[in-house]
Amino acid sequence: MTQKLKDKIMTSPTRSAYFSLWMALCGAILGPFLDSYHSAFGVLRYDEPIRFVTLPLLGGSVEHPALTTAWWVPELFGFAGFLIGWLYILLDEVLETEEGKTRPEPPFILAGIAFFTFQYWLSGILYELGSFDRSSILFTMTTLSAIGYVGFDSSKAGFWTSLATAIGGPLIEVGLISSLSGHGGYHYTDLGETGFFPLWICPVYFLGGPANGNLARGIWNGLTSTTGEKISNEKEQTLDGPKCTVCNDTRAVGCPNCDSLGYYVSYNRKVKCNCCKGRGLVICRNCFSEYGDDPYDIEGIRDIMGRMPD
């Protein structure tokens, strides 16, 4: 399992780096706007809020600013996006999520994000109305989370990631509320059953799993297409024969440094070739780009060659 995870990450370090960046960026941009619903409807209060009264396309007013946040909120949501995204991608690999669920279409991804946004908004509205008690809001949010999970995911990877989010997110909030008290932090206006927040926050966190997870899958697939990685690391054969006429799709060619011997003679002594590590073979550069490997990832190339038969 460890090797599968390593291969998933290191097959293309460039793709992994871009994926991490995109997930963190999406979380940092989208998260504060969702969180702002709870500020607008009085669910929570920041000690030192940053307010944008109006924003293009979003409007806003003094009573309900377009965005209310704090300086550390985008970073926090960026980290959450990064973490949830990687959990989905890696657990999809480990738990062997069926391909149909790992390749969501853009409209489906956006619908999942919209449903999560609706849940976030509704939780604030129900709280502000004051006519719904904690149990009623908890039941409503749990029902929406269940509908969202079944409708937009229903994978094992999604369930475990969402459950971890529903547990880990509130625990992180306990730490934040405690550590930032009096230092630009925040607090919930209803301390709820926990003494920090009402329990209906947990199912809101849960639905963040499918919303972020399908976005992560979409970004990963998009980057995979861009970098040219194949689903299989082995090149497919066609009825016309090998696609690479240099290595016959073996991905290995004779080492030019030692004439494929694995050694060279120096002062009448056989010296192991450092280029091919004594194997007499090096990776084929003619078809290297077809596999989506990073040409600067020397360790990755050595790992590929190490798994090839002599």
Coordinates of all heavy atoms in Angstrom, one line a residue, residues 218-292:
G218 N -11.5 16.3 -10.2 CA -11.6 17.0 -11.4 C -10.2 17.7 -11.8 O -9.7 17.6 -12.9
I219 N -9.6 18.3 -10.7 CA -8.4 19.0 -10.9 C -7.3 17.9 -11.2 O -6.4 18.1 -12.1 CB -8.0 19.8 -9.7 CG1 -8.9 21.0 -9.6 CG2 -6.5 20.3 -9.8 CD1 -8.7 21.9 -8.3
W220 N -7.3 16.8 -10.5 CA -6.3 15.8 -10.7 C -6.4 15.2 -12.1 O -5.3 15.1 -12.8 CB -6.5 14.7 -9.7 CG -5.5 13.6 -9.7 CD1 -5.6 12.4 -10.4 CD2 -4.2 13.6 -9.1 NE1 -4.4 11.7 -10.3 CE2 -3.6 12.3 -9.5 CE3 -3.5 14.5 -8.3 CZ2 -2.3 12.0 -9.0 CZ3 -2.2 14.1 -7.9 CH2 -1.6 12.9 -8.2
N221 N -7.6 14.9 -12.6 CA -7.7 14.4 -13.9 C -7.3 15.4 -15.0 O -6.7 15.0 -16.0 CB -9.2 14.0 -14.1 CG -9.6 12.8 -13.3 OD1 -8.8 12.0 -12.9 ND2 -10.9 12.8 -12.9
G222 N -7.6 16.7 -14.7 CA -7.2 17.7 -15.7 C -5.7 17.8 -15.8 O -5.2 18.0 -16.9
L223 N -5.0 17.8 -14.6 CA -3.6 17.8 -14.6 C -3.0 16.6 -15.2 O -1.9 16.6 -15.8 CB -3.1 18.1 -13.2 CG -3.4 19.4 -12.6 CD1 -3.0 19.4 -11.1 CD2 -2.6 20.5 -13.3
T224 N -3.6 15.5 -15.0 CA -3.2 14.2 -15.6 C -3.2 14.3 -17.1 O -2.2 13.9 -17.8 CB -4.0 13.0 -15.1 OG1 -3.9 12.9 -13.7 CG2 -3.6 11.7 -15.8
S225 N -4.2 14.8 -17.7 CA -4.3 15.0 -19.1 C -3.3 16.0 -19.6 O -2.7 15.8 -20.7 CB -5.7 15.5 -19.5 OG -6.7 14.6 -19.1
T226 N -3.0 17.0 -18.8 CA -2.0 18.0 -19.2 C -0.6 17.5 -19.2 O 0.2 17.7 -20.2 CB -2.1 19.2 -18.3 OG1 -3.4 19.8 -18.3 CG2 -1.1 20.3 -18.7
T227 N -0.3 16.7 -18.2 CA 1.0 16.1 -18.1 C 1.2 14.9 -19.0 O 2.3 14.4 -19.2 CB 1.4 15.7 -16.7 OG1 0.4 14.8 -16.2 CG2 1.4 17.0 -15.8
G228 N 0.1 14.3 -19.5 CA 0.2 13.2 -20.4 C 0.3 11.9 -19.8 O 0.7 10.9 -20.4
E229 N 0.1 11.8 -18.5 CA 0.2 10.5 -17.8 C -0.9 9.5 -18.2 O -2.0 9.9 -18.4 CB 0.1 10.7 -16.3 CG 0.4 9.4 -15.5 CD -0.4 9.3 -14.2 OE1 -1.4 10.0 -14.1 OE2 0.1 8.7 -13.3
K230 N -0.5 8.3 -18.4 CA -1.4 7.2 -18.8 C -2.0 6.6 -17.5 O -1.3 6.6 -16.4 CB -0.8 6.1 -19.6 CG -0.1 6.6 -20.9 CD -1.1 7.1 -21.9 CE -0.4 7.4 -23.2 NZ -1.4 7.9 -24.2
I231 N -3.2 6.1 -17.5 CA -3.7 5.4 -16.4 C -2.8 4.2 -16.0 O -2.6 3.9 -14.8 CB -5.2 4.9 -16.7 CG1 -6.1 6.1 -16.9 CG2 -5.7 4.0 -15.6 CD1 -7.5 5.7 -17.3
S232 N -2.3 3.5 -17.0 CA -1.4 2.5 -16.7 C 0.0 3.0 -17.0 O 0.2 3.8 -18.0 CB -1.7 1.3 -17.7 OG -0.6 0.3 -17.6
N233 N 1.0 2.6 -16.3 CA 2.4 3.1 -16.5 C 3.0 2.3 -17.6 O 4.2 2.7 -18.0 CB 3.2 2.9 -15.2 CG 2.8 4.0 -14.2 OD1 2.4 5.1 -14.6 ND2 2.9 3.7 -12.9
E234 N 2.4 1.3 -18.1 CA 3.0 0.6 -19.2 C 2.3 1.0 -20.5 O 1.1 1.2 -20.6 CB 2.8 -0.9 -19.0 CG 3.4 -1.4 -17.7 CD 3.8 -2.8 -17.8 OE1 3.6 -3.5 -18.9 OE2 4.4 -3.3 -16.8
K235 N 3.1 1.2 -21.5 CA 2.6 1.7 -22.8 C 1.7 0.6 -23.5 O 2.1 -0.6 -23.5 CB 3.7 2.0 -23.7 CG 3.4 3.1 -24.8 CD 4.7 3.6 -25.3 CE 4.4 4.4 -26.5 NZ 4.2 5.8 -26.2
E236 N 0.6 1.0 -24.0 CA -0.3 0.1 -24.7 C 0.2 -0.3 -26.0 O 0.8 0.5 -26.8 CB -1.7 0.7 -24.8 CG -2.4 1.1 -23.5 CD -3.7 1.7 -23.7 OE1 -4.0 2.0 -24.9 OE2 -4.4 2.0 -22.7
Q237 N 0.0 -1.6 -26.4 CA 0.4 -2.1 -27.7 C -0.7 -1.9 -28.6 O -1.9 -1.9 -28.3 CB 0.7 -3.6 -27.5 CG 1.9 -3.9 -26.6 CD 3.2 -3.6 -27.2 OE1 3.4 -3.6 -28.4 NE2 4.2 -3.4 -26.4
T238 N -0.5 -1.8 -29.9 CA -1.5 -1.7 -30.9 C -1.3 -2.9 -31.9 O -0.2 -3.6 -31.9 CB -1.4 -0.4 -31.7 OG1 -0.1 -0.4 -32.5 CG2 -1.4 0.8 -30.8
L239 N -2.3 -3.1 -32.8 CA -2.2 -4.2 -33.7 C -1.0 -4.0 -34.7 O -0.6 -4.9 -35.4 CB -3.5 -4.4 -34.5 CG -4.7 -4.8 -33.6 CD1 -6.0 -4.8 -34.4 CD2 -4.5 -6.1 -33.0
D240 N -0.6 -2.8 -34.9 CA 0.5 -2.4 -35.8 C 1.8 -2.7 -35.2 O 2.8 -2.5 -35.9 CB 0.4 -1.0 -36.3 CG -0.9 -0.7 -37.0 OD1 -1.4 -1.7 -37.7 OD2 -1.5 0.4 -36.9
G241 N 1.9 -3.1 -34.0 CA 3.2 -3.3 -33.3 C 3.6 -2.3 -32.4 O 2.8 -1.4 -32.0
P242 N 4.8 -2.3 -31.8 CA 5.3 -1.3 -30.8 C 5.1 0.1 -31.3 O 5.4 0.4 -32.5 CB 6.7 -1.7 -30.6 CG 6.8 -3.1 -31.0 CD 5.9 -3.2 -32.2
K243 N 4.8 1.0 -30.4 CA 4.7 2.4 -30.8 C 6.1 3.1 -30.8 O 6.3 4.0 -31.5 CB 3.8 3.2 -29.8 CG 2.3 2.8 -29.9 CD 1.5 3.6 -28.9 CE 0.0 3.2 -29.1 NZ -0.9 3.9 -28.1
C244 N 7.0 2.7 -29.9 CA 8.3 3.2 -29.9 C 9.2 2.2 -30.6 O 9.5 1.1 -30.2 CB 8.8 3.4 -28.5 SG 10.5 4.1 -28.4
T245 N 9.8 2.7 -31.8 CA 10.6 1.8 -32.6 C 12.1 1.7 -32.0 O 12.9 0.9 -32.5 CB 10.7 2.3 -34.0 OG1 11.1 3.7 -34.0 CG2 9.3 2.3 -34.6
V246 N 12.4 2.6 -31.0 CA 13.7 2.5 -30.4 C 13.8 1.5 -29.4 O 14.8 0.7 -29.3 CB 14.1 3.9 -29.8 CG1 15.4 3.9 -29.2 CG2 14.1 5.0 -30.9
C247 N 12.9 1.4 -28.4 CA 12.9 0.4 -27.3 C 11.9 -0.7 -27.4 O 11.8 -1.5 -26.5 CB 12.8 1.2 -26.0 SG 11.1 1.9 -25.7
N248 N 11.1 -0.6 -28.5 CA 10.0 -1.6 -28.6 C 9.0 -1.6 -27.4 O 8.6 -2.7 -27.0 CB 10.5 -3.0 -28.9 CG 11.2 -3.2 -30.2 OD1 10.7 -2.6 -31.2 ND2 12.3 -3.9 -30.3
D249 N 8.8 -0.5 -26.9 CA 8.0 -0.3 -25.7 C 8.4 -0.9 -24.4 O 7.7 -1.1 -23.5 CB 6.5 -0.7 -26.0 CG 5.8 0.2 -27.0 OD1 6.3 1.3 -27.3 OD2 4.7 -0.2 -27.5
T250 N 9.7 -1.2 -24.3 CA 10.3 -1.8 -23.1 C 10.7 -0.7 -22.1 O 10.9 -0.9 -21.0 CB 11.5 -2.7 -23.4 OG1 12.5 -1.8 -23.9 CG2 11.2 -3.8 -24.3
R251 N 10.8 0.6 -22.7 CA 11.2 1.8 -22.0 C 12.7 1.7 -21.6 O 13.2 2.6 -20.9 CB 10.4 2.0 -20.7 CG 8.9 2.2 -20.9 CD 8.3 3.0 -19.8 NE 8.8 4.3 -19.7 CZ 8.5 5.2 -18.7 NH1 7.7 4.8 -17.7 NH2 9.0 6.4 -18.7
A252 N 13.4 0.7 -22.1 CA 14.9 0.6 -21.7 C 15.7 0.4 -23.0 O 15.2 -0.3 -23.9 CB 15.1 -0.5 -20.8
V253 N 16.8 1.1 -23.1 CA 17.7 0.9 -24.2 C 19.1 0.7 -23.7 O 19.4 0.9 -22.5 CB 17.7 2.2 -25.1 CG1 16.4 2.4 -25.8 CG2 18.1 3.4 -24.3
G254 N 20.0 0.2 -24.5 CA 21.4 0.0 -24.1 C 22.1 1.3 -23.6 O 21.9 2.3 -24.2
C255 N 22.9 1.2 -22.6 CA 23.6 2.3 -22.1 C 24.7 2.8 -23.0 O 25.6 2.0 -23.3 CB 24.2 2.0 -20.7 SG 25.2 3.3 -20.0
P256 N 24.6 4.0 -23.5 CA 25.6 4.5 -24.5 C 27.0 4.7 -23.8 O 28.0 4.7 -24.5 CB 25.0 5.8 -25.0 CG 24.2 6.3 -23.9 CD 23.6 5.0 -23.3
N257 N 27.0 4.8 -22.5 CA 28.3 5.1 -21.8 C 29.2 3.9 -21.7 O 30.4 4.0 -21.7 CB 27.9 5.7 -20.4 CG 29.2 6.2 -19.7 OD1 29.8 7.2 -20.2 ND2 29.5 5.6 -18.6
C258 N 28.5 2.7 -21.7 CA 29.4 1.5 -21.5 C 29.1 0.5 -22.6 O 29.4 -0.7 -22.5 CB 29.1 0.9 -20.2 SG 27.4 0.3 -19.9
D259 N 28.4 1.0 -23.7 CA 28.1 0.1 -24.8 C 27.2 -1.1 -24.3 O 27.4 -2.3 -24.8 CB 29.3 -0.4 -25.5 CG 30.1 0.7 -26.2 OD1 29.4 1.7 -26.7 OD2 31.3 0.7 -26.2
S260 N 26.3 -0.9 -23.4 CA 25.4 -1.9 -22.9 C 26.0 -3.0 -22.1 O 25.4 -4.0 -21.8 CB 24.6 -2.5 -24.1 OG 24.0 -1.5 -24.9
L261 N 27.3 -2.8 -21.7 CA 28.0 -3.9 -21.0 C 27.8 -3.8 -19.5 O 27.8 -4.8 -18.8 CB 29.5 -3.8 -21.3 CG 29.9 -4.1 -22.7 CD1 31.4 -3.9 -22.9 CD2 29.6 -5.5 -23.1
G262 N 27.5 -2.7 -19.0 CA 27.3 -2.5 -17.5 C 28.7 -2.1 -16.9 O 28.7 -1.9 -15.7
Y263 N 29.7 -2.1 -17.7 CA 31.0 -1.7 -17.1 C 31.9 -1.2 -18.2 O 31.6 -1.4 -19.4 CB 31.7 -3.0 -16.5 CG 32.0 -4.1 -17.5 CD1 33.2 -4.1 -18.2 CD2 31.1 -5.1 -17.7 CE1 33.5 -5.1 -19.1 CE2 31.4 -6.1 -18.7 CZ 32.6 -6.1 -19.3 OH 32.9 -7.1 -20.2
Y264 N 33.0 -0.6 -17.9 CA 34.0 -0.2 -18.9 C 35.4 -0.5 -18.3 O 35.5 -0.8 -17.1 CB 33.9 1.3 -19.2 CG 33.9 2.2 -18.1 CD1 35.2 2.7 -17.6 CD2 32.8 2.7 -17.4 CE1 35.2 3.6 -16.6 CE2 32.8 3.5 -16.4 CZ 34.0 4.0 -15.9 OH 34.1 4.9 -14.9
V265 N 36.3 -0.6 -19.2 CA 37.7 -1.0 -18.7 C 38.6 0.2 -18.6 O 38.7 1.1 -19.4 CB 38.3 -2.0 -19.7 CG1 39.8 -2.3 -19.3 CG2 37.5 -3.2 -19.9
S266 N 39.1 0.3 -17.4 CA 40.1 1.4 -17.1 C 41.3 0.9 -16.4 O 41.2 0.2 -15.4 CB 39.4 2.5 -16.2 OG 40.2 3.5 -15.8
Y267 N 42.5 1.1 -17.0 CA 43.7 0.6 -16.5 C 43.6 -0.9 -16.3 O 44.0 -1.4 -15.3 CB 44.1 1.3 -15.2 CG 44.4 2.8 -15.4 CD1 43.4 3.7 -15.0 CD2 45.6 3.2 -16.0 CE1 43.6 5.1 -15.1 CE2 45.8 4.6 -16.1 CZ 44.8 5.5 -15.7 OH 45.0 6.9 -15.9
N268 N 43.1 -1.6 -17.3 CA 43.0 -3.0 -17.3 C 42.1 -3.6 -16.2 O 42.2 -4.7 -15.8 CB 44.4 -3.7 -17.2 CG 45.2 -3.4 -18.4 OD1 44.7 -3.4 -19.6 ND2 46.5 -3.1 -18.2
R269 N 41.2 -2.7 -15.7 CA 40.3 -3.1 -14.6 C 38.8 -2.8 -15.1 O 38.6 -1.8 -15.7 CB 40.5 -2.4 -13.3 CG 41.9 -2.8 -12.7 CD 42.1 -2.0 -11.4 NE 41.0 -2.2 -10.4 CZ 40.8 -1.5 -9.3 NH1 41.7 -0.5 -9.1 NH2 39.9 -1.8 -8.5
K270 N 37.9 -3.8 -14.8 CA 36.5 -3.5 -15.0 C 35.9 -2.6 -14.0 O 36.0 -2.9 -12.8 CB 35.7 -4.8 -15.1 CG 36.1 -5.7 -16.3 CD 35.2 -7.0 -16.3 CE 35.5 -7.8 -17.5 NZ 34.6 -9.1 -17.5
V271 N 35.3 -1.5 -14.4 CA 34.7 -0.6 -13.5 C 33.2 -0.5 -13.8 O 32.8 -0.3 -14.9 CB 35.4 0.8 -13.6 CG1 34.7 1.8 -12.7 CG2 36.9 0.8 -13.4
K272 N 32.4 -0.6 -12.8 CA 30.9 -0.6 -13.0 C 30.5 0.8 -13.5 O 31.0 1.8 -13.0 CB 30.2 -0.9 -11.7 CG 28.7 -0.9 -11.8 CD 28.0 -1.4 -10.6 CE 27.9 -0.3 -9.5 NZ 27.1 -0.7 -8.4
C273 N 29.7 0.8 -14.5 CA 29.2 2.0 -15.1 C 28.3 2.7 -14.1 O 27.3 2.2 -13.7 CB 28.5 1.7 -16.4 SG 27.8 3.2 -17.2
N274 N 28.5 4.0 -13.8 CA 27.7 4.8 -12.9 C 26.4 5.2 -13.6 O 25.4 5.5 -12.9 CB 28.4 6.0 -12.4 CG 29.5 5.7 -11.4 OD1 29.3 4.7 -10.6 ND2 30.6 6.4 -11.4
C275 N 26.4 5.3 -14.9 CA 25.2 5.8 -15.6 C 24.1 4.8 -15.5 O 22.9 5.1 -15.3 CB 25.5 6.1 -17.0 SG 26.6 7.5 -17.3
C276 N 24.4 3.5 -15.7 CA 23.3 2.5 -15.7 C 23.4 1.6 -14.4 O 22.7 0.6 -14.3 CB 23.4 1.6 -16.9 SG 25.0 0.7 -17.0
K277 N 24.3 1.9 -13.5 CA 24.5 1.2 -12.3 C 24.8 -0.3 -12.5 O 24.4 -1.2 -11.8 CB 23.2 1.3 -11.4 CG 22.9 2.7 -11.0 CD 24.0 3.4 -10.3 CE 23.6 4.8 -9.9 NZ 24.6 5.5 -9.2
G278 N 25.5 -0.6 -13.6 CA 26.0 -1.9 -13.9 C 25.0 -2.8 -14.6 O 25.3 -4.0 -14.9
R279 N 23.9 -2.2 -15.0 CA 22.8 -3.1 -15.7 C 23.0 -3.1 -17.2 O 22.5 -4.0 -17.9 CB 21.4 -2.5 -15.3 CG 21.1 -2.6 -13.9 CD 19.6 -2.3 -13.7 NE 18.8 -3.2 -14.3 CZ 17.4 -3.1 -14.5 NH1 16.9 -1.9 -14.1 NH2 16.7 -4.0 -15.1
G280 N 23.6 -2.1 -17.7 CA 23.8 -2.0 -19.2 C 22.6 -1.4 -19.9 O 22.5 -1.3 -21.1
L281 N 21.6 -0.9 -19.1 CA 20.4 -0.4 -19.6 C 20.1 1.0 -19.0 O 20.4 1.2 -17.8 CB 19.2 -1.3 -19.4 CG 19.2 -2.7 -20.0 CD1 18.0 -3.5 -19.5 CD2 19.2 -2.6 -21.5
V282 N 19.6 1.9 -19.8 CA 19.1 3.2 -19.3 C 17.7 3.4 -19.9 O 17.3 2.7 -20.8 CB 20.0 4.3 -19.7 CG1 21.4 4.2 -19.0 CG2 20.2 4.4 -21.2
I283 N 17.0 4.4 -19.3 CA 15.6 4.7 -19.8 C 15.6 5.2 -21.2 O 16.5 6.0 -21.6 CB 14.9 5.6 -18.8 CG1 13.4 5.5 -19.0 CG2 15.4 7.0 -18.9 CD1 12.6 6.0 -17.8
C284 N 14.6 4.9 -22.0 CA 14.5 5.3 -23.3 C 14.0 6.8 -23.4 O 13.0 7.1 -22.8 CB 13.6 4.4 -24.1 SG 13.3 5.0 -25.8
R285 N 14.8 7.7 -23.9 CA 14.4 9.1 -24.0 C 13.5 9.4 -25.2 O 12.8 10.4 -25.2 CB 15.7 9.9 -24.2 CG 16.5 10.0 -22.9 CD 15.9 10.7 -21.8 NE 16.6 10.7 -20.5 CZ 16.3 11.3 -19.5 NH1 15.2 12.1 -19.5 NH2 17.0 11.2 -18.3
N286 N 13.4 8.4 -26.1 CA 12.6 8.7 -27.3 C 11.1 8.7 -27.0 O 10.4 9.5 -27.5 CB 12.9 7.6 -28.4 CG 12.1 7.8 -29.7 OD1 12.4 8.8 -30.4 ND2 11.2 7.0 -30.0
C287 N 10.7 7.9 -26.0 CA 9.3 7.8 -25.7 C 9.0 8.2 -24.2 O 8.0 8.0 -23.7 CB 8.7 6.4 -25.8 SG 9.6 5.1 -24.8
F288 N 10.0 8.9 -23.6 CA 9.9 9.2 -22.2 C 8.7 10.1 -21.9 O 8.0 9.9 -21.0 CB 11.2 9.9 -21.8 CG 11.3 10.3 -20.3 CD1 11.7 9.3 -19.4 CD2 11.0 11.5 -19.8 CE1 11.8 9.6 -18.0 CE2 11.0 11.9 -18.5 CZ 11.4 10.9 -17.6
S289 N 8.5 11.1 -22.8 CA 7.5 12.1 -22.5 C 6.1 11.5 -22.6 O 5.1 12.0 -22.1 CB 7.6 13.3 -23.5 OG 7.4 12.8 -24.9
E290 N 5.9 10.3 -23.3 CA 4.6 9.7 -23.5 C 4.1 9.2 -22.2 O 2.9 8.9 -22.1 CB 4.7 8.6 -24.5 CG 5.1 9.0 -25.9 CD 4.1 9.9 -26.5 OE1 2.9 9.6 -26.3 OE2 4.4 10.9 -27.2
Y291 N 4.9 9.0 -21.2 CA 4.4 8.4 -19.9 C 4.2 9.4 -18.9 O 3.8 9.1 -17.7 CB 5.5 7.4 -19.5 CG 5.6 6.2 -20.4 CD1 6.4 6.2 -21.5 CD2 4.9 5.0 -20.1 CE1 6.5 5.1 -22.3 CE2 4.9 3.9 -20.9 CZ 5.8 3.9 -22.0 OH 5.8 2.9 -22.9
G292 N 4.4 10.7 -19.1 CA 4.1 11.7 -18.2 C 5.0 11.8 -17.0 O 4.7 12.4 -16.0

